[in-house]
Amino acid sequence: MQTQSLRRLLAASVALGVVGASMVVQAGDMAADGQDAFDENCSVCHSVIAGKVKVGPPLAGVVGRPAASVAGYPYSEAMKSSGVTWTPETLEAYLAGPMRMIPGIKMSFPGEPDAQVRLALVEYLKTVK
Amino acid sequence: MIFPAHARRAGAAFALFGCLFGSLLSSPAQALPSFAQQTGMECAGCHVGGFGPQLTPAGMKFKIGGYTDSNGQGLKVPLAAMLVEGFAHSNKDLPSDPAQGYGRNSNFALQELSVFLAGGVGKHVGGFVQATYSGVDDKMGMDNIDLRLTDTQNLFGHNVVYGISLNNNPTVQDPFNSVPAWRFPYMSADLANSPAAAPLIDGGLEQQVLGLTTYAYVGDFLLESGGYFSPSESLLEDMNVASPDAPATKLKNGAPYWRLAWFKDLHKQAFSVGTFGLAASVQPDRFAKAADGYTDVGFDANWQWFPSRRHAFSVNSSFIHEVRSFNASVAAGGADHLDTDLEQFKVAAAYYYRQHYGATVGFFDTWGGRDRALYGNRTGLPDSRGVTLQGDWTPFGQEASWGAPWANARLGVQYTLYNQFDGASGNYDGTGRDASDNNTLFCFLWMAI
């Protein structure tokens, strides 16, 4: 009986481990895809190096921080007064149509229509600190 | 670009340039010398192939925004320089020396050495002023100017950019690489024959006029209107763009200018279609009031495709229809017909790999009504047609490039083939010279710092 319980526990652990590992791998894959998407779509105007300011603000540590919070960057009034905090959810919504979400901002990016690409971008942005 | 004048006038041009420079230097500025410094962006962010002047959609928007976008890291004093060294070889020796000190063929030349003030001051003022030394003409003079006042407002959820441009070359203020001031080929041989006939808006007024245009970028539409006038001859002589021996083209009255374009940026792709034009009365003799009329109506279309950061495709095209009324020229014996027209079509397709390696094919065709007195060639036709092929290598221009953003260079090989030249394929000038004799190999080094 005890042996069976141990076997079940072991099986469950393996299954959980496999699922967990696959989730980690999946997130890793998504982050890698997101890095590609970032290079293609965002890197011209944004750096992921803290303190490196292009025509857009640096995105290192963007997940979790309030909008318009990089010191010294000339944000638009619309962004300053947006009251948004960049959670994964708000970032995903923003990337779908920045101007739709916050009218009057400076960013001219028209929006990423592919939800998978947006999610991948967010996964990548979680990794840049 | 021709810069006729005397050395003292070059000094005056420098003085004017110095005043403009000084006015910017007087700001408590951090001295950063280029648009790349101003924005913190790599050159490839705004330029296809990592080198000017072909603009990406981001570059177009930067220009429409009056060159004012900035990363906000202090006020910049933008100063830049450009150099073009070229070697030109024609299929057959030119009929005469193309310039003093140069032979009839296979010439090396310092074509341009330019100094720029280029950038934005605050949110509402930006532009560029270019002064150029031509090694071919051995002269320094004012080149292109585009100075802007601009603002952005949000209307109904859309940003509306509007402003005023003070410039000296119709279409130089345009963001699209389909208009005459910015079309392929972006550099060509000064020491080679080129077709004689072109619409007035295609270089006929460059640097010889001043214009004020108002514009607005609303939604996906760019609207612009304004006009050009002739400044005094003494001012143009001071800027070294005219001289008593080579007076400037003189507009009798103001010349209205218009532009309407639809521009759709889908990020991976961008499209534009539009129309532009100019109506001008030009005095062939600037001291006589009689004038010839020119009405240029242009249509243009552009497409860019960026399937990835590695690949960039573009097609730029334009058609210009020019209606002419040669009252003054006919009276003076310079033309046979009062009313005639001229058509010009140009298209260029380019591909860039990794923003370093580029290949471009351009087709050009000019045709129009016969006028022997006007064109002075064997057939009396303005017709010229051909193809320009170019391969180039841009080793720098990216964020991680050596010397970024200061070191910029493009090495290019260009070959222009003429099927027709000044009215005919064969013996166009009546002395036995064929269109293909003007086929030209042009190798160039184009640097910007």
Side-chain angles (χ1 to χ4, degrees):
Chain A
M1 197 67 179
Q2 201 173 17
T3 308
Q4 274 192 343
S5 296
L6 279 172
R7 279 179 179 164
R8 283 176 190 146
L9 185 62
L10 183 63
S13 300
V14 169
L16 275 173
V18 169
V19 170
S22 72
M23 287 175 69
V24 169
V25 169
Q26 196 175 16
D29 287 347
M30 283 191 75
D33 290 345
Q35 182 168 9
D36 289 343
F38 184 89
D39 289 343
E40 298 286 343
N41 295 288
C42 318
S43 63
V44 166
C45 298
H46 295 280
S47 171
V48 291
I49 300 169
K52 183 171 174 57
V53 186
K54 297 186 175 181
V55 76
L59 298 181
V62 65
V63 177
R65 82 185 180 204
S69 59
V70 173
Y73 181 78
Y75 289 101
S76 63
E77 289 303 320
M79 186 61 84
K80 286 179 189 172
S81 59
S82 67
V84 169
T85 295
W86 296 124
T87 64
E89 292 74 24
T90 55
L91 273 172
E92 198 273 336
Y94 181 72
L95 290 169
M99 190 68 84
R100 279 201 306 276
M101 180 169 159
I102 311 175
I105 55 167
K106 294 194 299 183
M107 190 162 97
S108 62
F109 180 58
E112 173 53 59
D114 188 328
Q116 286 301 313
V117 175
R118 295 197 300 270
L119 290 171
L121 276 167
V122 172
E123 284 301 322
Y124 172 63
L125 290 174
K126 286 179 183 173
T127 70
V128 294
K129 308 289 186 187
Chain B
M1 298 171 192
I2 298 169
F3 311 98
H6 298 81
R8 73 174 175 79
R9 290 182 183 128
F14 270 122
L16 175 62
F17 200 70
C19 288
L20 289 163
F21 185 37
S23 69
L24 292 175
L25 269 181
S26 62
S27 305
Q30 181 187 351
L32 295 171
S34 69
F35 290 138
Q37 281 288 304
Q38 176 180 319
T39 60
M41 293 164 66
E42 59 184 350
C43 300
C46 286
H47 292 288
V48 175
F51 198 90
Q54 192 178 9
L55 294 176
T56 63
M60 293 174 198
K61 289 173 184 174
F62 176 73
K63 186 170 182 177
I64 291 169
Y67 312 91
T68 57
D69 277 350
S70 157
N71 63 0
Q73 305 304 294
L75 191 61
K76 284 81 177 181
V77 175
L79 181 64
M82 184 181 85
L83 178 148
V84 181
E85 181 79 34
F87 169 76
H89 174 78
S90 298
N91 207 19
K92 186 177 177 181
D93 288 357
L94 302 174
S96 59
D97 292 346
Q100 191 173 4
Y102 294 93
R104 294 187 180 189
N105 212 343
S106 303
N107 288 299
F108 284 95
L110 171 62
Q111 293 204 170
E112 290 188 28
L113 179 59
S114 294
V115 184
F116 295 82
L117 282 173
V121 182
K123 291 181 179 177
H124 304 293
V125 179
F128 73 90
V129 178
Q130 177 185 8
T132 296
Y133 169 77
S134 165
V136 172
D137 299 317
D138 192 21
K139 284 165 187 165
M140 182 90 187
M142 188 58 71
D143 205 324
N144 287 320
I145 298 171
D146 181 15
L147 296 172
R148 306 213 187 193
L149 284 174
T150 183
D151 190 25
T152 303
Q153 295 291 334
N154 186 261
L155 289 178
F156 309 112
H158 294 281
N159 279 351
V160 177
V161 184
Y162 59 96
I164 300 170
S165 165
L166 171 68
N167 64 80
N168 66 344
N169 182 2
T171 73
V172 78
Q173 73 276 39
D174 205 86
F176 302 108
N177 289 99
S178 46
V179 295
W182 301 111
R183 288 182 299 192
F184 178 82
Y186 310 114
M187 189 55 63
S188 54
D190 283 354
L191 297 171
N193 273 352
S194 56
L200 184 70
I201 201 170
D202 184 8
L205 299 174
E206 61 184 11
Q207 289 94 49
Q208 301 168 67
V209 293
L210 282 176
L212 202 60
T213 59
T214 60
Y215 69 95
Y217 182 53
V218 184
D220 296 325
F221 289 91
L222 176 66
L223 306 99
E224 183 174 12
S225 67
Y228 290 83
F229 70 95
S230 288
S232 70
E233 189 72 2
S234 62
L235 176 62
L236 294 173
E237 290 181 10
D238 286 345
M239 292 195 292
N240 227 7
V241 295
S243 72
D245 296 334
T249 302
K250 169 77 172 171
L251 295 175
K252 184 176 181 181
N253 304 305
Y257 173 88
W258 68 89
R259 173 53 143 155
L260 171 64
W262 174 75
F263 170 45
K264 190 69 179 173
D265 176 16
L266 301 174
H267 205 60
K268 291 278 186 185
Q269 294 188 71
F271 307 86
S272 80
V273 292
T275 179
F276 57 94
L278 180 83
S281 292
V282 175
Q283 296 175 212
D285 176 353
R286 61 182 298 120
F287 301 107
K289 291 293 182 189
D292 293 331
Y294 296 81
T295 302
D296 290 0
V297 180
F299 301 93
D300 65 323
N302 298 281
W303 173 64
Q304 293 182 319
W305 180 36
F306 307 97
S308 73
R309 291 265 287 168
R310 291 183 177 184
H311 307 285
F313 298 87
S314 64
V315 179
N316 309 109
S317 64
S318 63
F319 170 73
I320 300 172
H321 172 63
E322 181 171 84
V323 178
R324 300 161 155 187
S325 300
F326 280 155
N327 299 307
S329 289
V330 168
D336 294 330
H337 301 292
L338 280 175
D339 299 315
T340 185
D341 58 4
L342 186 72
E343 326 292 335
Q344 185 195 66
F345 174 70
K346 289 193 175 187
V347 61
Y351 167 69
Y352 276 88
Y353 177 64
R354 289 184 176 272
Q355 299 162 345
H356 287 308
Y357 308 98
T360 308
V361 181
F363 171 77
F364 54 91
D365 195 0
T366 301
W367 69 98
R370 190 184 305 273
D371 194 313
R372 291 183 188 282
L374 178 64
Y375 297 118
N377 57 38
R378 182 177 64 81
T379 63
L381 292 168
D383 301 8
S384 293
R385 183 171 58 238
V387 172
T388 300
L389 309 170
Q390 181 174 308
D392 51 68
W393 176 47
T394 305
F396 312 121
Q398 298 186 39
E399 193 171 8
S401 296
W402 175 83
W406 304 96
N408 295 284
R410 173 167 285 177
L411 282 163
V413 179
Q414 185 186 97
Y415 195 72
T416 303
L417 302 98
Y418 293 99
N419 175 256
Q420 281 193 312
F421 193 98
D422 287 355
S425 296
N427 188 26
Y428 67 86
D429 62 352
T431 67
R433 191 171 180 87
D434 297 333
S436 60
D437 292 340
N438 297 312
N439 292 356
T440 301
L441 172 70
F442 179 51
C443 306
F444 61 87
L445 168 64
W446 190 352
M447 297 173 67
I449 57 172

